[in-house]
Amino acid sequence: MATLTRPLPAVARSSSHIPWYLWCSALAVTSVTIGAHWDVSWHRSIGRDTFWTPAHIAIYMCGVLAGIACGYLIFSTTFRSDSPMRANSVRVLGFTGPLGAFVAAWGGVAMLTSAPFDNWWHNAYGLDVKIVSPPHTLLVAGVFGVEIGALFLIMAAVNRAQDDAALHRRLQLMLLYVAGMMMVLTMFFRMEYTLQIFLHRSSAYVSVAIGVPLYLGAVWKASRNRWACTWMTAIYTLFLIGLMLILPLFPAEPKLGPVFQQVTHFIPAQFPLLMIVPAVLLDLLWAKIGDRNKLLVSLVSGPVFVLGLVAAEWPFASFLMTKAAENRFFGTGYHDYGTPSWSAEVIKHFVAPEHGVALWSGLAQASLYAAISVWLGLLLGDWMRKIQR
């Protein structure tokens, strides 16, 4: 169990630049975000050929970078009596270091442990076609550990830099960037539930409502930035559009069968959800009432988030099913090599679309989940504003 070290009379503020270990943590989050999407594209375009693909290396580099940054922080703080981080540290199992360093270090160990487990799993049971498997579950837990640890490290630095306006602003932007990368990854794990063919049914919006507003609420409250939600979803949108434009530039061909689609280049993910629409609405709403009673704010914010997303995404999903969207930018003409020509993705029709009572019942459920997520996010954000260690 973590115990606080004896507080020192002053918090160290030895420099006005961002420490290297924060850059290293941000790079770790970036590496796994790129690697995860690259890996899915690899599977969709080529199949599984070896564990040592560049995409896998990018994923596990996250654990290596987290280990470097957090190992330095923990060991230097523990064994150096004059370490400037001692005033901003907790004790865990006899070691001393920032709270975020311990969380990210655990995540890095979990990630690196999952690597041989994943390789053994494929050798023993063959290929997987789903994102979720036992080794992937351990990997995902590790990724979230690194992300949350990095967020805590940056958040503590933000809170300690209140007296240095320039440093505080730079750290705030770094916080929003890492939060945006976290938004990309949390939507990555909803990929199977938010395919374009499912966007005319409530289940897709339920999957987004569970958890995503928590990110938005926590970062909006903690970052003290009026447009935090907009920044996060803009990063998510630009990141995925960037991958859609870049990945098809590189050649690839299937190494497994059966092959239903002629693939000659990497297949990117589908066009991002229009998350920026409800994000802007929440930023505007919270600018007015965000500091009032959290329960009231949450009950209003849940429906605003869900209905704002549906209002934007529902007609946009209809457009994506048309020939006009089959171009490089919207990317609806890209299909996995294993996707049959008679599948819903290829012939472009919605799977089990909902209308009337069934739809509105599902959206009401999504609004409730979104409200609960916002409430938890605002509580978490308030706590994050107090992190100093």
Side-chain angles (χ1 to χ4, degrees):
M1 179 178 178
T3 58
L4 295 178
T5 57
R6 181 173 59 86
L8 296 181
V11 176
R13 295 185 180 91
S14 58
S15 64
S16 60
H17 68 276
I18 297 177
W20 70 268
Y21 54 80
L22 294 185
W23 289 111
C24 193
S25 299
L27 181 59
V29 175
T30 303
S31 181
V32 73
T33 307
I34 294 173
H37 281 274
W38 191 4
D39 186 47
V40 168
S41 178
W42 198 285
H43 282 261
R44 297 179 65 193
S45 315
I46 297 174
R48 181 181 172 87
D49 50 354
T50 174
F51 178 82
W52 298 105
T53 63
H56 278 182
I57 293 173
I59 291 172
Y60 291 104
M61 185 57 66
C62 170
V64 173
L65 290 170
I68 292 172
C70 298
Y72 165 80
L73 282 173
I74 293 171
F75 288 116
S76 67
T77 306
T78 301
F79 298 111
R80 280 182 54 196
S81 59
D82 61 342
S83 171
M85 293 301 297
R86 276 187 171 266
N88 312 314
S89 297
V90 299
R91 288 186 63 83
V92 177
L93 300 176
F95 291 94
T96 304
L99 172 63
F102 284 106
V103 176
W106 175 88
V109 170
M111 288 185 67
L112 297 178
T113 302
S114 75
F117 183 24
D118 185 46
N119 201 37
W120 171 84
W121 182 269
H122 286 290
N123 290 334
Y125 298 105
L127 302 175
D128 57 43
V129 294
K130 297 291 185 181
I131 292 175
V132 179
S133 67
H136 288 178
T137 301
L138 179 60
L139 173 63
V140 170
V143 169
F144 277 103
V146 172
E147 287 187 328
I148 293 170
L151 197 70
F152 285 179
L153 280 172
I154 299 170
M155 192 70 242
V158 170
N159 292 336
R160 295 195 302 268
Q162 295 294 321
D163 297 335
D164 187 334
L167 177 60
H168 182 268
R169 177 60 177 168
R170 292 196 296 272
L171 287 167
Q172 186 186 62
L173 291 176
M174 175 178 275
L175 177 71
L176 293 175
Y177 169 77
V178 170
M181 290 291 102
M182 293 177 69
M183 177 65 67
V184 175
L185 268 178
T186 195
M187 291 302 297
F188 173 83
F189 294 111
R190 291 165 172 78
M191 188 185 301
E192 295 174 353
Y193 308 100
T194 57
L195 295 175
Q196 291 165 2
I197 57 175
F198 299 143
L199 292 179
H200 275 195
R201 54 195 294 185
S202 59
S203 58
Y205 302 96
V206 169
S207 72
V208 176
I210 299 175
V212 171
L214 185 151
Y215 281 81
L216 298 175
V219 176
W220 181 88
K221 176 67 77 170
S223 69
R224 303 173 177 87
N225 187 293
R226 173 175 178 170
W227 299 105
C229 301
T230 303
W231 275 113
M232 290 170 64
T233 52
I235 291 169
Y236 154 77
T237 303
L238 293 174
F239 180 89
L240 287 185
I241 291 176
L243 287 183
M244 290 182 64
L245 296 176
I246 293 171
L247 283 173
L249 298 177
F250 296 91
E253 61 179 276
K255 293 186 177 181
L256 297 174
V259 177
F260 292 102
Q261 301 289 331
Q262 184 65 32
V263 171
T264 59
H265 50 71
F266 278 100
I267 305 298
Q270 294 186 351
F271 198 86
L273 297 186
L274 300 181
M275 298 284 293
I276 197 166
V277 174
V280 170
L281 294 178
L282 289 181
D283 277 333
L284 293 172
L285 175 67
W286 291 343
K288 297 289 186 182
I289 66 169
D291 293 325
R292 298 185 184 180
N293 180 276
K294 290 183 177 61
L295 182 59
L296 175 62
V297 172
S298 303
L299 291 175
V300 175
S301 302
V304 168
F305 175 82
V306 172
L307 296 179
L309 179 59
V310 173
E313 197 64 46
W314 197 277
F316 185 64
S318 296
F319 163 74
L320 292 175
M321 291 296 177
T322 67
K323 287 288 185 180
E326 291 187 10
N327 53 53
R328 283 285 310 280
F329 185 77
F330 295 109
T332 61
Y334 298 131
H335 303 294
D336 306 7
Y337 71 84
T339 303
S341 59
W342 58 86
S343 66
E345 291 95 333
V346 176
I347 63 177
K348 299 190 184 305
H349 73 78
F350 294 108
V351 174
E354 294 177 345
H355 306 279
V357 175
L359 173 62
W360 287 105
S361 175
L363 294 181
Q365 185 181 22
S367 297
L368 176 61
Y369 291 145
I372 295 172
S373 293
V374 169
W375 179 67
L376 293 174
L378 293 176
L379 289 175
L380 177 60
D382 269 341
W383 176 79
M384 288 171 63
R385 293 179 72 154
K386 302 173 184 176
I387 296 177
Q388 294 281 337
R389 300 175 182 270

